[in-house]
């Protein structure tokens, strides 16, 4: 049973930075893809970025140039470095994982989800 636990959210001013972490436990060795999704109040969940176990990455347009996704396979930990944050980045950020390769067009197929960590940008 895979568990994903996020941390690192908080409140920052526009232009600031945050680094999110997600620790995977359980059968995490089978998680080829790990990614970040976010959901703001009243809006649909959207993908932010994904990274495969081989290091290949995908980014949503809104994240390109400002966010960096990385993972430490030895520590079963996923990261999201967020720089130059904007108020529109305010959302609940959730870690997700799947056994296949990452894709960002839908959250369907991601079998494992964390509880989320709140990011607020003012």
């Amino acid at each position: 049973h895979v568990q994903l636990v996020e941390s690192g959210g908080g409140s920052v001013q526009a232009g600031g930075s945050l680094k999110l972490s997600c620790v995977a436990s359980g059968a995490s060795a089978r998680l080829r893809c790990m990614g970040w999704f976010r959901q703001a109040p009243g809006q649909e969940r959207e993908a932010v970025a994904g990274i495969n176990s081989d290091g290949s990455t995908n980014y949503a347009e809104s994240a390109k140039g400002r966010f960096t996704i990385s993972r430490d396979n030895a520590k079963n930990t996923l990261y999201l470095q967020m720089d130059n944050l904007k108020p529109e980045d305010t959302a609940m950020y959730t870690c997700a994982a799947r056994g296949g390769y990452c894709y960002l067009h839908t959250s369907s197929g991601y079998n494992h989800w964390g509880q989320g960590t709140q990011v607020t940008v003012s």
Side-chain angles (χ1 to χ4, degrees):
H1 177 64
V2 175
Q3 288 188 312
L4 303 175
V5 179
E6 304 95 334
S7 62
S11 297
V12 295
Q13 292 188 335
S17 298
L18 281 174
K19 186 173 184 177
L20 307 182
S21 298
C22 172
V23 178
S25 61
S28 56
R30 298 181 294 178
L31 302 176
R32 174 173 290 167
C33 166
M34 297 186 74
W36 291 98
F37 288 77
R38 69 185 183 185
Q39 187 169 20
Q43 297 187 20
E44 293 187 357
R45 182 163 55 193
E46 63 176 0
V48 177
I51 183 168
N52 296 299
S53 54
D54 62 5
S56 57
T57 57
N58 308 69
Y59 289 94
E61 284 299 320
S62 59
K64 289 180 180 179
R66 299 187 301 125
F67 295 0
T68 303
I69 191 170
S70 61
R71 66 191 285 178
D72 184 331
N73 292 328
K75 295 182 178 179
N76 295 323
T77 303
L78 174 72
Y79 304 99
L80 185 68
Q81 175 68 44
M82 304 186 293
D83 298 316
N84 191 22
L85 283 160
K86 304 175 181 180
E88 51 264 43
D89 294 317
T90 295
M92 179 69 75
Y93 285 70
T94 306
C95 172
R98 63 189 302 271
Y101 281 102
C102 290
Y103 47 72
L104 300 184
H105 64 279
T106 177
S107 61
S108 176
Y110 284 80
N111 316 91
H112 311 288
W113 293 85
Q115 294 298 309
T117 185
Q118 178 68 38
V119 171
T120 303
V121 185
S122 60

